[in-house]
Amino acid sequence: MDLLEKIRAGKMSKFQVGVIVTCFLVNIIEGFDIFMMAFVMPALSATWNLGPVQIGYLLSAALIGMTVGSFALSPLGDRIGRRRLILACLGVVAVGMGLSYLAADPTQLVFLRALTGLGVGGTMSSVSVLVSEYSTEKHGGLTMGLYTTGLPLGGLVAGAVIGATVGPWGWRSAFLAGALATVLVVAVASRFLSESLDFLTMKRPPNALDRVNAILLKMNHPALTELPLREQAGSPRFSEVLREIFGRRMLAITVLMWLSFGMLQAAYFSTTSWTPQALTFATGNAQLGVLAGSLVSLGGILGSVVFAVLSVWIPKRVLTIAFLGVAAVIYVGFSASLGAVAVALVLAVALGLVNNASIAGFYTLGPRVYSPVARATGFGWILGAGRIASFAAPIVVGYLIGAGWSIQTIFIAFAVPMVVSSVLLVMVTALERRRSMLPQGEVALAGNTSA
């Protein structure tokens, strides 16, 4: 049994809980920074007289940055360490938010939102990996489910803050609040965030043994007299990482995971970005639009909690596939309810719930697709593939509205990627079972150790 397996088989210590709570705070601020634009947009579009295509680009700018960050920066987590990358990327987020406060026109704001997204995208894989590594097997679904509540909770906080500040102080106040909150989270993370044990034992930076033993002591585990053998650890070259992710054994699974998560993200970020505008278009009331966006975030929090609780009894893969299927049905219902505001607001909560429960499933399953050699890079690229779909979808929605599509038709169309995502995840399960990567009858993803 290797070091990480021993930790997963043990009990949760206060130190592990502290690391996971810190990751939760990071996820909250990322949620604030990502989703705030949907709440700012009604006031911003009125101030700058924006059309639907411009709105689409502004809503997608941070997602474009997140895509680049997931692909370009996530691999650094396997090279310089998860903790160092997270802190550096949070600094980029703070700078992007602060400069957005000074943006003079839509073009500048698009660029600065992309910069903010770059920092967010660079952190997400490493933060998720830390939660996975510091969780026990018994509580893995619970901790990851609760961790993923951070993103929609950040959106809910954004809705509350922006609803209270934009009226008196204008839309720029939202970016100032985000910058200050991000700086605060950087200070907390620099104090409480721990380095990945996998990174320390595999990369072996200076004083690696002392650093590992200091962490083990805080988790009430015995100290090591030496680091694991090189054949168990080692310092992987990037070519080894690529061979694992795209090798013959894993290529099909990698591609299917990219496509499945991409379909989910396309629908999810279109929902979070365009729901406020959809209710504003349907009712002519911008405040109802902000309320609907907040309710989607509230539903997202509930979805993560529901996933976390149900995962104690129901296999995580089964839950994820089921939530994807239910989401398709709710999208159709939401489209039909836009003329009935009360029903639409209830279904906005339901949309947030099923979408974020599905995302919690991917965040639980994803880090275990690959071995520690390629975990941060592999999962980061799954997230990156999702970001490509996530930034493209809101832009496409803007063009479709500009071309005369009704918002009702667009929300019906969102059901399609949810169905496709669930089918692709079933295909991943079938591939893994056929290749004996899972124990018989087991549906949770197991870590792969060969290319």
Side-chain angles (χ1 to χ4, degrees), residues 28-44 58-59 62-63 93 96-98 100-101 109 112-113 116 120 151-163 165-166 170-179 181-182 269 272-273 276 290 293 297:
I28 290 175
I29 199 63
E30 289 175 343
F32 185 101
D33 295 343
I34 294 168
F35 298 131
M36 63 170 294
M37 206 63 193
F39 300 105
V40 169
M41 190 53 65
L44 178 62
L58 280 167
L59 290 173
L63 303 178
V93 172
M97 292 290 283
S100 294
Y101 173 80
L109 190 55
L112 293 169
R113 290 297 294 158
T116 301
V120 172
L151 212 62
L153 180 56
L156 189 62
V157 171
V161 170
I162 291 166
T165 60
V166 168
W171 60 265
R172 295 181 187 274
S173 62
F175 293 101
L176 181 60
T182 305
F269 279 99
T272 55
S273 297
V290 172
S297 294

Side-chain angles (χ1 to χ4, degrees), residues 3-13 15-21 23 127-147 197 219 221 316 363-364 367-368 375:
L3 180 59
L4 199 60
E5 288 174 343
K6 290 179 180 178
I7 292 171
R8 285 178 175 156
K11 297 181 179 180
M12 289 284 288
S13 65
F15 174 77
Q16 288 165 270
V17 172
V19 172
I20 293 168
V21 169
C23 292
V127 175
S128 301
V129 168
L130 284 182
V131 174
S132 177
E133 289 184 7
Y134 281 98
S135 299
T136 61
E137 188 64 36
K138 180 179 179 180
H139 298 98
L142 180 64
T143 54
M144 188 60 76
L146 294 176
Y147 159 72
L197 284 169
M219 292 193 294
H221 285 271
K316 303 170 187 67
Y363 272 64
T364 303
R368 300 186 185 184
R375 185 163 292 148

Side-chain angles (χ1 to χ4, degrees), residues 324-334 415:
L324 288 167
V326 173
V329 176
I330 295 177
Y331 271 113
V332 176
F334 181 78

